[in-house]
Amino acid sequence: MKSLFARSLAAFLVVLLFTQQNWATCGGGGGGGVGGMGGGGNGMGTSNDQTYRVPWKLIKPEDPPVKDGLVVYWFPSSAEEVKKSSLLFSHSLALYAGQCVTMGVADVRSPIG
């Protein structure tokens, strides 16, 4: 009887262990930051915030096209957009970049554009 109970408990704990990551962001999270109730800061979005910088690579017209893997291209309308865009910091895009997805910034007038 103890063996059946121990096995059932172990199976439940394994399932709980693998599903708890789905509950990790209690306040919406995503896009950087620590989630809803990340307390300890001054409420001004300073020292305790996490940011996820996206590793954008400048794609020049003379560069050969990327042959392996997936590429996400960003065609900004101006240099000012590149400096101030919210695409510079993104949790999702940073995760994709870590999974061999190339993040490229290119001019719309280039052959790729």
Side-chain angles (χ1 to χ4, degrees), residues 7 41 46 75 78-79 84 96 101:
R7 287 182 184 178
T46 57
F75 299 104
S78 67
K84 295 184 177 183
Y96 292 147
V101 175

Side-chain angles (χ1 to χ4, degrees), residues 35-102:
M37 301 301 287
N42 60 6
M44 301 300 288
T46 57
S47 64
N48 289 338
D49 290 342
Q50 290 180 334
T51 57
Y52 300 93
R53 186 158 186 84
V54 180
W56 291 104
K57 177 186 173 196
L58 180 62
I59 307 292
K60 299 173 187 160
E62 61 269 8
D63 289 346
V66 177
K67 300 218 184 247
D68 295 331
L70 182 65
V71 182
V72 173
Y73 288 108
W74 173 24
F75 299 104
S77 59
S78 67
E80 189 67 23
E81 181 183 352
V82 174
K83 293 177 187 174
K84 295 184 177 183
S85 178
S86 62
L87 290 175
L88 295 174
F89 298 95
S90 168
H91 186 223
S92 298
L93 292 176
L95 287 176
Y96 292 147
Q99 297 173 352
C100 299
V101 175
T102 303

Side-chain angles (χ1 to χ4, degrees), residues 25-37:
T25 57
C26 61
V34 292
M37 301 301 287

